[in-house]
Structure formats: C-alpha cells, structure tokens
Amino acid sequence: MEDYKYLFKVVLIGNAGVGKTCLVRRFTQGLFPPGQGATIGVDFMIKTVEVDGDKVKLQIWDTAGQERFRCITQSYYRSANALILVYDITCQPTFDCLPNWIKEIDTYASSKVLTYLVGNKSDRLLHREIPAEIGEHFAKQHSMRYLETSAKEAENVDRLFTEIAVELTKQAKENFLRPRQDSTSGKVGMPNGGSSPVGGLSCCKLN
Amino acid sequence: MECFGESLNQELEDLQEHQTAIETKMLSLHKMLPNLQLLHTDSRQLSSMVSFTSTLAENVSGKVRQLDLAKSHVTACMQRVEDVLDLKFCTDGVQTALQNEDYEQAAAHIHRFLSLDENVLRMTEGSNEGSTLDTSFQLLHEAESKLKKIVHKNFDAAVHSKDVASVERFFKIFPLINLHDEGLTKFSKYLSAQISETAETNLNQALSVKSSDKRSTVIFADTITLLFEGIARVVEIHQPLVETYYGPGKMFPFMAALQKECDRQTRKIVEKFKESRDFTRKVQKVRQSSMPRATAAEKIDPKELDVLLAELTLMNARAELYLRFVRRRVVADVEVSQEEDRTEKVAEVDKFLSDCDLSRLMQELVGSYIMMEEYFMKEMVVKAVKMDTYEGGAMTSSMVDDAFFIVKKCVRRAMSSCSVDGVCAMLNNACTMLEQDFKEELHSRLKLGFPSGFDLTQAYNLVQSSIQQGKLQSSDTEKAKANFLCMLNDTEVSSDYIQTLKKNLQAEITKVFGHVHQHSQEKLESCLSELASVSNKFREVREFGFTQLYSAAIKPRIKPWVDTFSATSHLIDDEEFTNYEANDPWVQAFIVQLDNLLNTFKASLTTGNNDTFVSHVTTEVTIQLEKAVLKMSFNRLGGLQFDKELRALVGYLTSVTTWTIRDKFARLTQMATILNLEKVNEILDYWGPNSGPLTWRLTPTEVRQVLTLRVDFRGDDIKRLKL
C-alpha cells in the first residue's frame, strides 16, 4: 500500500493508568480520549513520519500495564527498536516501580534498544509528586533519555516520537554502512535488506 | 430691421399654425372630462367593495377557526369521555379480573389506566362528577399496588415451586404494570439460580471423574463448556420473551445480570481447576525454572505441562466463543433499539465484556499459559539440541526437525486458544527462542570452523564410508568436518523451515482468526512477519559458515592449483603449443581436482548449500585466476593457449552447475579475447560501437593493462588506442 524506507517498532511500557494509550492516541490520531479504559493485552498503531525526506514507519505497540498481561507484553520487548517507559509525575508509586521495569528491560529487551523515560501528565502541575530533576536523574543513571509529556495538552508528544524516529533512522543508516565495509571479497552478495551485520552476533548462549 | 420683421412674421405664422392644432386637442380634452369623473366614482366604489369583501372573508375564516377549535375541544372532550368510560371500565374490570385471578386482564386494565393522564382527567371533570372519579382513581391505585404485590408474590412463589409456566406468566405481567426493571431483575435472578444449580452439579460430577476417564485431562474445560452452553441455551430460550414483552434495548441489562452468575460460576470452576491440577505450584515452579540460575534439579519437567497446556487453551477458546455469542446478541439488540449514540452504547457493551470477571480470569490463565508454553517450547528445544544426533547419510542432524516440530506444536496450540494476544505472544516467543537460542547454537558450532589441513582423499573416504556404512568411524578431524557441514545444512534447512512455518501458520491463522477484527488481524500479521526476519538471520549465519568454509577449505585448496597455472609459461612457440595440446600442462589436472573437490562436498551438502558452495568455488577460481593472469606474460600463441584452457574450464563448470556460469567468467573471457588478438588495433573491432551484444566488464584501463601482458604488443600502440 504505502511505501516506506524504514520500519521501527516502538513499545510503550509502564504501570497501569500512567497514560500510555493516551500518548499513543495523541500522537497517532491527535486525540485525547477522556475516560480511556484499561488496555487489554497489547494494542498496536501505525504512523508514518518523515525524517530527512525518508518515510519512516513507526509501529507502536501499546501494552497493558496490568500485571496479568505481563507475560504477553514481555514477548514484545526483544523485537523493539525503542522502548518508552512511562510513569505518572503525579503518582509516586508509578515512579517507585521503575526499577522493576528496568529489570524487565534488561532481561527481555535487546541490549541495543533505545530507551526513553517519560514522565506523563505534566499538565497537572499542582499534583506533581516527582520533580523533573529526580526523573531526569533516574533516567541518566540508567542511560535513558528523559522527557516530560502531557498527552492531554499535546505537550512534547510529537517531539518524543519524532526524536525516536530520527535517532533510529540515524542508527539504521550507520548499521547499513557497516557490513559493507568489512565484507569479504570472496563472499557472494546477499540480497538481504537486514540491517544488523553478521559481526554483531557475538553473544551466544544456550544453557 | 426688415430681417427682424420677416423672422417675426415667420414666427407668428408658425404660432398660428400651432394654434389650430392646440384648439383641436383642447376640444377633445373637453370631451373626455366627464368620462374621467365617471371613472373616479367607479374606482371608489370598487375599493369600498374590496374592503367589504375582505372584512367579510375575515369574519368567515374567524368563524371557521373558532369552529376548528370547538371541534378539537369536542374531540378532546370525547377522548376524555372515552377515558372516563375506560377508567370506569378499568375500575370495574380490575376488580372482577382480580377476583377471578385473571392477572393478565387486570394488568391490561392497569396498563390502560397508567397510560391515561391522571391530572388532566381530574382537572377537566372538576365539579359535579369529581367524587366518582376520585373513587375510581383510588380504586385503581389500590388495584395497582395490589396487583404489584400479587405479581411479586406469585412470581416468587412460582420460582419457589419451580413452576416454569407461572414464572413466565408473571414475568410477562411485570412490564404491563411499569415494572420492567424489577421484572428483569427478578427473572434473571431466577435464571441465575437455575444456572448456578446446574453448574454446581456439573462441577461435582467433574470432580468425581476418575483419572482413567478419557475426558479426565480436559474435564474442567468440559465443565466450563457446559456452563457456557447452559447460559447460551437460557438466552436462546428467553431472549424472545424479553424482546416481545419488555421491548428492545433490554438485552444488555438482562445479559449483564446473567453474566454476574456466569462470572461466579467460572470463578468456582477455575478455582477447582487450579486446585486439582496443582496449577499454582506449577506456575511458581516454571517461573523459578525460567530464571537463568535455575539448576536442573529445580526445574520442572516440561512434559509435565503438556496436558495442562492443552486444557488451558481449550478453556480460553470456549470462553472466547461464549463471549462472542453474548456480544453478538447484545449488540444486535442495541442496534435495533438505539437510534443515536449507537457506537457509544456498543463501546459500553465491549467495555463491560472485557472487564467482566470471566474475561479477567481468562486473561490471567492465558498469561500463565504463555509463560508455561514458552518454558515448554524452550526446554523441549534445549532437550532436542542436547539429544542431537547425526545419522550417517542424512544431510541434517536430528535437532532441526525436532526443534521445528516443537515450535510448530506450541504455536499451533496457542492458536487453538483463540486468543489473539496469546498467539501473538507465542509467535514473538518462538522468534526469540529461534533467534537467541537455536540460531546461536548453530552459530557457535559453526564458529569452531571447518578443520583446516584438508585432505582430499580422507574427506572423500569419509563421505564414502558414511554413505556405505551409515555411520562415521574416523578421526576427530573428520568428525569435526562432517559436523561442520551438517551444521551448515542445519542452518540452511532451518532458514527454509522458518519460511515454511510462516506460510503454514499464516494459512492456519486466516482460518482460525478469519472472524476477528481487522485490527487484530494486522497485529497477527505483524508478529508473523517477524519470522521472515528470523529466517534472514539464519541466512546470515549460513553466510558466516560459508566464510569459515571458504577460508579453511576453498581458498587454500585452489591456491596451489592456480599456482601451477602461473608456473606454466604462456610464452610459447608452435612446437610448444602442439606439445601442450598433446600433454596438457595444467587445465585438465585442474578440472579433475576441482571435480574431486566439488564431488566430495556434494554428497554432504544440501542442494541449496551445494549450489552456494559451487558458487563460492567458482568465484574464488575466477578471482585467483584473474590475479594470476595479470602477473603473467603472453605471446600470440600463449593467448590462444589460455583461451583454450579457459574454454575447457568454463565448459566443465557449466556441466556441473545448474545456473549459468558464464557470467562469473565474463571478465576472464574478455581478458582471453584481448590476449588472443592479432594486433593491438583489433581491439577496436570489439570495443565501443562495435561491441555488439558484448558488454565489457573491463574498464579501459584494465583493457590496456591486459594488452600490455602481450609481450609482442608495442606499448606505444597501446597508448595510442582511443578507448
């Protein structure tokens, strides 16, 4: 149907009720649906953005925050190009859970994954429980990028996804160049558009 | 002066002429004067007539309007009279009906009474007949509350005595006396009680089923199926009643009430299921076993889970089917009743269904199922890898078929659960397992490399013996070689298997999930497409394997053969040329050796791998030959000799490959053409506009370089060439 140059998978995670679905809705449809029900399992949306004239298709997987869906949502981590870990700046418990989420990411996601920490609901300033510096500090500690957003006021939402698209496109371009450089002269060329070079398969494990 | 007099005369004459005309006009005007007066009076008369008529018309229409009003008053009056008559009729009727216990009749009267506007009736008949009206109203109100009580009481009694006919009879009366909600609540309570009773019996029966029974492994799935079927039957029977007597739009509250009971019963069944299947312990154990540090002793045997997993998927499949049924029924009713906000109402229904306990319980079960299924798949594949055997004569080892059998089984089982999210998760898990565990296993084995110190005869014998005896009895190196090739085949076959798996699963998904929402299908499609990229990763590993093989077995093998070529002088005279013809200096031996090399591997490689291998070999041959040629010197006959040699080589390779080899040799063939020229300028017969169908693979610089290899070509001539 539509052609695109790159396809990236973006997965949103975080506690229930922090506004993952609203962020996705705001970005993909420009809506803020009040009274959004809890997500069941995993939802998925697509939006194509343009980066330096290239069409970049973002496949956004919006996961359910509730515990009983954990096994389903975990299965999406590995193939994710970017993870967005969301908490609610007006709700301390959602911030306190972040270390658990980090553990999940370490266990299931690829080591190369681009991770963003997002403090959502920045419009509710009066109810803020986690200062921006604390969130930013936490993000830095775990080498994540940090942004505060408001799905309601459309604050930083486009920026979040655009930054991700730009960064992933940059990475993809670099990866695409690398295997060309160290290809052996005697090798038969592979008609393969895969972006990860063979040289990257250094870690092997099988118990 | 005279002039002036003349002009004056002229003027006077003119005026005189005019005078006559004016006089005639004046005369006619005088005649018209009386007519004008007549006209004036006439028009005045007309105007007064018109205004008179208009007043008259207004008067008449006013009367009509009055009449109309009067008529509507009369109609209203008649309506009232009728109402009053009805009221009286109702009052009398209700009494007799109640006395005769004809509650339907009584309810019909009350229904009629309730449809009257009581206040209006009281107002219009204020003065004289008021007293009788009052009594009527009073009587009717009394009758109404009495009937309500009776209906309530009798309904309860009917429920108590399990008198189905009476239950339904009174259920139909409720809406007549404006008790829709009470009626529905009571009725659904009654039905719930029935459902509960049957469910309990079924559950007890299930618990007493012996383990020898052939349904015992799925008995809880059976029980839950019975529950769903029971409710579906209840809906099937009573939906017409609800729709007929309660009107459209009532299915949602009705179903919602029944769903509460369904939730309760499901919870009970799931509890018993967990208890009797030792579910919680197993889940716990699997969770611990999945930890990276888990020791073998702590681990739960995946086979222990096999049966449980099947039952879990069956339970969820039933629940999905049931929920779909409920949704269909309720939404159909919503669509009939709701004119606007239909989507909103449907969303409400969806929310109710996805939030109901049944859904939650099933979501929890599916969650546990996914975790256990993933464990099962991973452990079984690990086992397959551990027990990997290589049967002599086979191209691949056992673990490939085993592993893919397991993956297919697990994903298909997930599919049988009818849970879209479940299937997606298992597809993801399958990709992860294949890529992280299985592919890495192959990769690490290929990393060991193909043992160098390759001995042709040994390898040849190795293959021969493996074919003849069906097993391998050779040194470690030979074993390692065989293993390497086997892994290379495993990788290639795996990559193909993944493609096949994807294709088969796709077909099955279309079959199983054809009914689900477009959005869910896209989700499935996306997870499925991940398999394609995993397949590509296996290809990359195969490529890696070939680079290993290339550096260990291809490059070093070909090198000495090409060296023989380099050592063969191509600066030859006629005698030597004839001599070469009789005693071939190298190419025949080269072909024999190549043939041996290719044959050796052919027996141990899959068709795909063999093709790649041959391709690698030929590429290497062309690369090395090209290098060698550029370092050698030729004369005319030497060029001819080389051309002959090359033809022989290409002829041989064409005979052993299925694709066209000439393309690979294009550059070499063109070099041979150049070396075979009579004189330098002859190149122009082949170059540029004269090239015809020939596409030059050599650059002008390379052409010059090759030309300089001919010792008999003068450098100046070559320099002068315009290419």
Side-chain angles (χ1 to χ4, degrees), chain B residues 195-196 199-200 203 220-221 223-228 231 258-274 315-316 318-320 322-323 356-363 365:
Chain B
I195 292 166
S196 158
E200 207 144 309
L203 186 56
F220 289 100
T223 313
I224 216 164
T225 312
L226 284 177
L227 170 69
F228 295 149
I231 297 175
L258 290 185
Q259 189 52 43
K260 288 237 171 63
E261 189 55 36
C262 175
D263 289 346
R264 251 194 304 278
Q265 294 309 324
T266 310
R267 188 169 283 283
K268 273 190 198 162
I269 296 170
V270 170
E271 260 165 34
K272 287 289 169 201
F273 159 77
K274 285 186 176 173
M315 280 167 89
N316 190 67
R318 299 299 189 220
E320 298 255 349
Y322 164 76
L323 285 168
C356 73
D357 257 6
L358 168 64
S359 296
R360 279 164 187 273
L361 285 165
M362 287 303 145
Q363 285 157 5
L365 287 185

Side-chain angles (χ1 to χ4, degrees), chain B residues 113-131:
Chain B
F113 158 62
L114 288 172
S115 70
L116 302 176
D117 192 336
E118 196 178 321
N119 291 332
V120 174
L121 275 184
R122 275 180 194 280
M123 248 164 32
T124 44
E125 313 284 324
S127 51
N128 35 1
E129 255 197 296
S131 53

Side-chain angles (χ1 to χ4, degrees), chain B residues 181 184 248-256 326-327 329-354:
Chain B
D181 293 347
L184 273 183
K250 294 291 178 191
M251 273 308 283
F252 186 27
F254 178 63
M255 264 329 306
V326 173
R327 186 181 186 277
R329 288 302 165 106
V330 175
V331 166
D333 183 50
V334 165
E335 272 168 3
V336 171
S337 65
Q338 210 88 1
E339 290 300 317
E340 50 211 36
D341 302 337
R342 202 178 279 174
T343 40
E344 217 167 281
K345 192 81 183 166
V346 171
E348 201 183 311
V349 172
D350 282 335
K351 190 165 157 37
F352 171 78
L353 289 179
S354 64

Side-chain angles (χ1 to χ4, degrees), chain B residues 499-537:
Chain B
Q499 294 287 4
T500 319
L501 183 70
K502 179 175 176 261
K503 216 169 72 192
N504 292 344
L505 289 178
Q506 179 118 47
E508 280 175 58
I509 281 175
T510 329
K511 232 190 305 171
V512 177
F513 293 100
H515 63 273
V516 301
H517 200 269
Q518 176 75 22
H519 193 68
S520 299
Q521 294 200 10
E522 281 167 18
K523 219 158 87 175
L524 284 163
E525 188 64 39
S526 168
C527 290
L528 200 58
S529 69
E530 191 68 20
L531 277 172
S533 77
V534 175
S535 173
N536 281 339
K537 299 267 170 63

Side-chain angles (χ1 to χ4, degrees), chain A residues 9 40-44 59 61 68-69 71 75-76 78-79 187-188 190 192 196 201 203-204 206, chain B residues 363 367 371 421 424-425 428-429 431-432 435 437 439-441 443 519 523 526 530 537 540 543 547:
Chain A
K9 289 190 180 178
I40 305 293
V42 176
D43 202 0
F44 119 121
Q59 202 180 63
W61 295 86
R68 64 177 181 282
F69 297 111
C71 285
S75 73
Y76 288 89
R78 187 193 56 91
S79 61
K187 253 173 75 173
V188 176
M190 280 286 301
N192 172 24
S196 73
L201 310 160
C203 53
C204 45
L206 199 110
Chain B
Q363 285 157 5
M371 186 185 66
D421 276 326
C424 286
N428 292 342
N429 287 338
C431 288
T432 305
E435 197 181 322
D437 300 327
K439 190 198 75 184
E440 284 309 321
E441 174 68 20
H443 189 229
H519 193 68
K523 219 158 87 175
S526 168
E530 191 68 20
K537 299 267 170 63
E540 285 168 16
E543 271 313 295
T547 53

Side-chain angles (χ1 to χ4, degrees), chain B residues 2-31:
Chain B
E2 211 169 295
C3 238
F4 180 71
E6 226 170 272
S7 72
L8 204 66
N9 270 349
Q10 184 70 40
E11 246 174 78
L12 279 172
E13 255 166 60
D14 280 359
L15 280 173
Q16 253 173 342
E17 254 168 61
H18 278 293
Q19 194 193 3
T20 39
I22 287 167
E23 266 169 10
T24 6
K25 278 204 179 136
M26 285 290 277
L27 219 71
S28 66
L29 277 177
H30 270 291
K31 268 186 218 155

